[in-house]
Amino acid sequence: MDNAVMRQTVRDRWARDALASLSGFVEIPALSPAFDADWAAAGRLHAAVDHVRRYLADRPIAGASTDVVELPGRTPVLLLDVPARDATTDETVVVYGHLDKQPAAGAWSPGLGPWTPVVKDERLYGRGAGDDGYAGYAAATALEALHAAGGRHARTVVLLETGEESGSPDLDAYLSHLGPRLGKVGLVVCLDTSGADYERLWLATSLRGIAFLDVTVRVLTAGVHSGHASGLVPSSFRILRELLDRIEDPRSGRFKLPELTVAVPPDRLAEVRVAAAEGFLTPQLPLVEGMRYATDDIVELTLANTWRTTLSVTGADGLPPLLDAGNVLRPYTSLKLSFRLPPTVDAGAALRAVEKTLTTDVPFGAQVEIARAEAADGWNSPPRAAWLESTLDAVSADVFGKPWRALGLGGTIPFLGMFGRAYPDAQFVVTGPRGPGNNAHVPDEWLHLEQTERVTEAVARILHAHATAGRAGEGD
């Protein structure tokens, strides 16, 4: 394989065709169904799919075909199916991305807008540029570059869904439906995460799960003057506070339910220590003056964000605004509780344990109601095969000039858990060109164009290594 031809092909495609079409994709307000209940009638998700499909169909990739699959009542999926090229493995590679978007989320800077593509300072601004419109273009460009350079690849299917920003509610159904068509999947490349800088290849190796619910504690059928009732009836807030203390120690942050805790795997702990030693894990958050982080130990701080359960109260009801609050013993207090869970915790079991704790032996016989309870598992990457480990080392040296690094992420991306369950024996490469300050989900989202080219070349090199080495650890 001619690596120089590959690199030049990647640069040429991104500089011309891919960037132009991705800019057109930015113009489509293809909101995810969670933000557009009338998405089917509005047609914007379908417009985004059609826009990218036309680009993919025009690529000069021998034998490639495109297909739009749409199960009844579900958001569409776009496929690019490319037959194997001189591969020594019969495995299929799945490259994942998504085409749905977050809303504008507020005012953008002057000259920028969510649906107005702007190229400035080697960045493409606009909603969906970095999250996650680039993915399909990067995958197609990697395949084009492989063909131009005489490289190899196994059968590769690029799968672009349209519900990721809503939690991928349809993806499990599509993976089941497409299972026979995809065959034996040996490598999954997910292009939808970020790293700690724009100078090296970053792999995400874990994501936390999540459980959330609304909990209401009722003590009265109607509010009563606090001078008449306080002291006679415990406040709903006091009872709710006591219930939460059964789950989390408010001073240490330690969680008391065994269903919410796990031991950190040694390989994940080693990754954190390496990144901490190199200074990548120093948090940059807008703390108020005088506020400290939960600990001064950067390794423990990172583990708290990636491998420990955390509880956030993200909403409340039953509490009037301060200016309207009178001397009343309120009848109820409602809180929305959000638990970020360690990657290997059984999210369903964790949620059931929380619900049981909140509703058993309630102080003073108060009424507790649980509503809108949901959970999603996290994901922990399987051990890397020898061929992938050596390929990452070589690609990082040749393409980035610096060693690759791996990190767990504190957020929750349900699709990775779905892929992990569907393909438990596959190798995973979870990466992307996003990094610090890219503003996904908030105003001024942008895509780092040079890093996107490098990640695209890295993906091409990984596809070639998989085709020539497979799982035997041998290769060109």
Side-chain angles (χ1 to χ4, degrees):
M1 182 174 64
D2 191 327
N3 288 330
V5 171
M6 172 182 289
R7 179 166 301 173
Q8 191 59 49
T9 302
V10 167
R11 290 176 176 175
D12 289 346
R13 295 298 183 274
W14 269 113
R16 298 197 306 267
D17 303 344
L19 180 58
S21 184
L22 179 56
S23 297
F25 170 79
V26 166
E27 296 175 349
I28 304 170
L31 296 184
S32 196
F35 309 103
D36 184 2
D38 296 324
W39 64 268
R44 290 183 283 268
L45 283 179
H46 290 92
V49 167
D50 186 60
H51 177 86
V52 178
R53 184 199 61 78
R54 284 186 278 110
Y55 177 85
L56 297 179
D58 288 342
R59 296 301 89 206
I61 304 173
S65 62
T66 60
D67 187 17
V68 178
V69 181
E70 187 165 1
L71 296 175
R74 298 188 183 276
T75 52
V77 165
L78 173 60
L79 301 177
L80 171 67
D81 195 334
V82 183
R85 179 183 172 92
D86 298 327
T88 60
T89 175
D90 61 352
E91 294 179 338
T92 299
V93 177
V94 174
V95 183
Y96 169 91
H98 67 88
L99 302 176
D100 57 315
K101 305 181 184 183
Q102 290 275 328
W108 290 48
S109 296
L112 302 177
W115 323 121
T116 304
V118 174
V119 177
K120 179 181 179 182
D121 299 328
E122 287 301 317
R123 301 174 177 181
L124 172 62
Y125 287 86
R127 180 63 81 228
D131 187 19
D132 185 45
Y134 75 87
Y137 296 94
T141 298
L143 289 163
E144 280 192 67
L146 275 174
H147 284 225
R152 308 180 188 183
H153 62 80
R155 180 198 175 199
T156 301
V157 178
V158 182
L159 188 157
L160 306 175
E161 67 155 320
T162 55
E164 193 277 338
E165 301 293 3
S166 302
S168 299
D170 299 329
L171 184 58
D172 258 340
Y174 278 111
L175 291 180
S176 177
H177 175 74
L178 295 170
R181 178 171 173 178
L182 296 178
K184 183 172 66 175
V185 175
L187 174 63
V188 177
V189 180
C190 293
L191 295 174
D192 190 25
T193 58
S194 58
D197 66 11
Y198 295 98
E199 298 179 2
R200 70 194 69 229
L201 182 67
W202 288 92
L203 266 63
T205 51
S206 67
L207 292 116
R208 288 191 291 183
I210 193 169
F212 51 88
L213 69 155
D214 299 344
V215 57
T216 299
V217 171
R218 295 185 185 276
V219 297
L220 299 168
T221 58
V224 177
H225 191 293
S226 61
H228 297 160
S230 63
L232 302 178
V233 178
S235 76
S236 58
F237 187 85
R238 170 188 167 186
I239 294 171
L240 190 46
R241 182 176 58 188
E242 183 176 341
L243 291 173
L244 293 180
D245 286 354
R246 295 177 178 180
I247 300 171
E248 179 190 31
D249 184 321
R251 293 189 63 84
S252 67
R254 181 180 62 86
F255 279 79
K256 303 176 182 179
L257 306 183
E259 294 87 350
L260 274 64
T261 62
V262 298
V264 181
D267 52 349
R268 300 290 89 94
L269 180 59
E271 291 170 357
V272 171
R273 286 174 172 164
V274 168
E278 296 178 347
F280 288 116
L281 303 180
T282 303
Q284 299 293 328
L285 299 175
L287 300 181
V288 299
E289 185 176 355
M291 181 66 188
R292 301 187 303 274
Y293 286 105
T295 175
D296 294 329
D297 186 327
I298 190 64
V299 171
E300 285 302 313
L301 199 62
T302 302
L303 293 175
N305 181 245
T306 57
W307 277 90
R308 313 276 195 234
T309 294
T310 56
L311 168 59
S312 300
V313 176
T314 59
D317 203 353
L319 296 164
L322 296 179
L323 293 178
D324 298 335
N327 294 319
V328 175
L329 183 66
R330 296 176 296 100
Y332 73 95
T333 301
S334 296
L335 298 179
K336 186 172 188 64
L337 308 180
S338 175
F339 295 87
R340 293 287 182 176
L341 303 170
T344 54
V345 153
D346 182 328
L351 179 58
R352 291 190 293 272
V354 168
E355 291 179 300
K356 181 178 179 180
T357 302
L358 294 174
T359 56
T360 302
D361 297 326
V362 178
F364 305 101
Q367 295 180 0
V368 176
E369 303 165 5
I370 303 294
R372 299 196 300 173
E374 295 186 39
D377 288 333
W379 171 78
N380 184 38
S381 178
R384 285 180 292 274
W387 72 263
L388 180 55
E389 195 84 16
S390 61
T391 299
L392 292 171
D393 291 341
V395 167
S396 294
D398 295 347
V399 178
F400 297 84
K402 293 187 177 182
W404 64 279
R405 290 291 177 254
L407 283 178
L409 301 180
T412 304
I413 305 180
F415 75 75
L416 274 170
M418 297 175 194
F419 274 106
R421 290 189 297 272
Y423 309 116
D425 298 324
Q427 290 289 291
F428 279 77
V429 175
V430 182
T431 189
R434 297 201 307 270
N438 71 87
N439 281 11
H441 295 198
V442 296
D444 297 357
E445 176 183 338
W446 50 269
L447 177 68
H448 193 293
L449 297 177
E450 289 185 3
Q451 182 72 345
T452 302
E453 291 180 3
R454 289 190 287 266
V455 169
T456 300
E457 183 179 350
V459 168
R461 297 274 297 269
I462 291 168
L463 294 181
H464 175 78
H466 170 260
T468 57
R471 302 169 85 168
E474 303 291 341
D476 292 356

